[in-house]
Amino acid sequence: MKRLIFTKTFLHILVAAILNSLAMMYVQFVFCLPAIALILYVLLKSSSHKNAFTTGLLFGGLSSLILNYWMVPVVANYANGSNGLALACYIASGVALAVFFGAQFYLASLLLLKQERPSMVWINAFIIASVWVSFELLRATIFSALPWLSYTAGISQARSIYLLQPAAFGGVFLLSFIIVITAYFLAVDLINRKVRFLVFAVGILAIQYATGALLFNKFSAEIEEDNPAHFSVALVMPALSPETVWNDESANAVVSHLLALNEKAVATKPDMAVWTETVVPWAYSPDDDFLKEISNTTANTNTLSLLGMNSSLDQSETNLSNSVYLLSNTGKELGKYDKQDLLSMAEKPLLASPALILPFIKKLDLKMEAGSNSEPVNTPWGKAGIMICNESTNSFHAAGLAKSGAEFLVNMGNDSWFSDYFITTQHFYNARCRAVENRKDLIINNNRGICGVVKSTGEIKIEEDGRNSNVISAEIHPNKLQTFKLNNLVYPAITILLLVLGNYLQRVKFNPNKNKTQTQK
């Protein structure tokens, strides 16, 4: 019997992990909601805190193993064919996510209150959701440089323009909070084999959708009325493979390709041409021949260039920062941003250990550091908040840029190593969340990823496959709007307050002296 129960439980966890992984891969809410409902069903049926920990351990570990399948071929390629290192990274990621979900479910089981009446179900739903989001926030903070360990349930709603709108008030974490509450009601009905709370689950989603529609329509009207000013951009999509970029033998062909794209972009007469991250592998110099050729094309126009290029931090040109330069039509440097959140094991060693970095950077004898230019870049149309590569997955980073005065956002990345995997989709829709969270138009240009423009309302104006070399044009509407954000401490605060309330209600209900007195009367 125990073996049968264990088998059924494991199958439930496995199905939940598969659905959860599909939700993240394809950014689909229809997979996420049943995934969380099923895993909460297993949690609620756990006979002990130890079983709850095991449930979380298996769910997190299995989800990671399914989600991060891309890691083995990508890391092996990045690490010059080291399959052992690729497998080690894959397993380590699974262990890390397993431990976090194990701890999360263990804590949740400790805090759950007895559910003798409907009010306790509501209290438990909010407690579980608060714990879930608190751990998402913790992972987002610790693993900001390892984005494959910091995904959120809320990202699954990023395809829906209306479901996405509440992110303007509480970020993607508020979306996770709503999803988990809804899923909890479904889990309770699964256990009781009734549909008592289904109406609440459907009601929550209906309210979220309707509220999102109202918010979208209201903000769309306001932004169009208050911000008529705009400027034009041309996104230059080079579609360069990593092998091509770093191969000296193909340097001339690469440069010719880029210059041809530049001419094509300038021909559209944009106010600004936006390139991708580190579009050329060498360090910036004001006398660089490539930049001179770029400026020769723009000299007789009003087109500025926003270009991804490394910066040398010393004379050796081996100590670099990953930077973005704003160049005038004559090639003069007008502004600069340096990447702050370096990708662990790719741009910086994991845990600050020199040994824990992939051989690719070591082989080139390079050392990457966060540069000193972290503020939004001044442009003629307002401040540009720059996010390089994985920084767009960091909700805190984008919020900081908006708080510093950014009037529009730009995400320049290089997805060439992941161009055949779902990572590019995740990257694009994470960026869409940043646009809504901060109510800023967002330009996203990822080499061999998904490129385009997302409006401050969340509308996708352009979405193109960056694996195809091209130039696309769009209009950007800057704005000075500062959005209200829920403090991240609100989630643990909700947990504490509800625990106090729930325990009080339970004491009132089960006070033996009170029951005895009522019986005597």
Side-chain angles (χ1 to χ4, degrees), residues 204-226:
I204 289 171
L205 292 178
I207 290 170
Q208 181 186 357
Y209 192 86
T211 302
L214 291 172
L215 288 171
F216 173 77
N217 292 326
K218 182 176 183 296
F219 183 74
S220 295
E222 288 178 358
I223 204 71
E224 194 167 314
E225 181 180 339
D226 298 339

Side-chain angles (χ1 to χ4, degrees), residues 51 116 127 139 147 157 160 170 179 253 310 334 365 422 476 480 487 494 504 507:
N51 286 346
E116 284 89 356
I127 288 174
R139 285 192 288 115
Q157 293 190 336
S160 170
I179 291 171
N310 287 330
L334 300 177
D365 195 27
F422 71 90
I476 304 300
K480 296 180 181 294
N487 190 296
I494 288 174
Y504 170 75
R507 286 199 304 272

Side-chain angles (χ1 to χ4, degrees), residues 35 55 169 194 226 240 271 364 391 437 461 488:
T55 296
F169 301 99
K194 297 179 180 178
D226 298 339
L240 296 174
D271 293 311
L364 296 171
E391 288 182 330
E437 287 171 352
K461 293 293 291 183
N488 292 330

Side-chain angles (χ1 to χ4, degrees), residues 385-404:
I386 311 293
M387 301 176 289
I388 299 179
C389 196
N390 59 288
E391 288 182 330
S392 69
T393 67
N394 187 338
S395 183
F396 312 131
H397 178 76
L401 292 171
K403 191 174 181 180
S404 297

Side-chain angles (χ1 to χ4, degrees), residues 19-30:
L19 290 173
N20 180 60
S21 300
L22 291 173
M24 298 303 108
M25 289 177 185
Y26 298 104
V27 191
Q28 289 292 349
F29 176 61
V30 293

